[in-house]
Amino acid sequence: MIALLILPLLVPFALPALSRRALERLAPAVALWAVAVSAVALASCALAALGAFVLTGLLKLPFFASLGELIRPLHTASDRFVLPLAALSVGGLAVSAWTLVRSALRQTRAFRAARTEAGRGPAAGDLCVVDSPCPDAYALPGRPHRIVVTTGMLRNLDGGEREALFAHERAHNAGGHHYFLAAAEFAAHCHPALRRVRDVIRLAVERVADEAAARAVGDRRLTARAIARAALAGQGDGGVARPAFVPGVASGPVPRRVHALLAAPRRERRAGAWIALLLAGSAGLSCGASVTGMVDFHHRVEVAQGEAEK
């Protein structure tokens, strides 16, 4: 049981390299879904494994064993490792919970501030213009979705570049990209190895929106120029702080995004299929190990309770 529950804690270390490969080999939308689903699955399995270690450690103590109607503390094959692992698991869960709650509160405040700022400017459909010299543009989810752009950003772009920028931000809202970014934040707080995957998901989100904007305006070079000029204009600090799940115009490594737009659209190859299978396999392996470990744990508890009834 111990070995099975350790596996979900080790598998996430392979995901950063796999996720980068997926974004290189797969279409951006496919890579986004594959990496995000794998990250959430691995994060959930890691939390389940930590929880199982905590429960196992508690049931080895006479007081908690009696509460669980066990005649004696729970017996496992690796008794000497259970209590140290349980103590470490308590610490890991506490740190994850604390950082996740703190991040959620901070981002909720930032989201409310961004919605308030957007509500002060004139709106034309889903487009909201904020009077600010700081060049900025972002897709703001909510009811209704908003495309927020500052007057400083509009002054830095010509007509065609503005249309490409608006199409880019509309693609974020249409694709529900804030859900992917929120999932990336959740995974990053559940396992340290998944923090690097968060950056890959952010880049994938921007790549998907870049491709959608290029299709909408029908000009990949124009879209690349708009993204580059908007990112250069928005390098300075200022404006309203945005939560991590709100995609901004300068998110991700802009040179890579521009290079991808100027290159021909990549077709998926056989190597990409293998990367997708490896992502699915890593998630399946972690989930299978977690479920098997939990089933074994449940079986041991039932056996101990059965001994108490005899």
Side-chain angles (χ1 to χ4, degrees), residues 127-154:
L127 180 63
C128 179
V129 178
V130 175
D131 186 11
S132 172
C134 300
D136 199 5
Y138 51 92
L140 190 61
R143 295 185 179 178
H145 291 328
R146 293 291 190 192
I147 303 302
V148 182
V149 61
T150 64
T151 53
M153 178 62 75
L154 293 177

Side-chain angles (χ1 to χ4, degrees), residues 76-92:
T76 59
S78 305
D79 286 344
R80 71 178 69 179
F81 302 110
V82 171
L83 290 180
L85 285 173
L88 291 174
S89 298
V90 170

Side-chain angles (χ1 to χ4, degrees), residues 23-45:
L23 191 53
E24 293 171 358
R25 301 289 183 176
L26 297 171
V30 177
L32 175 60
W33 273 99
V35 173
V37 170
S38 298
V40 171
L42 292 180
S44 301
C45 290

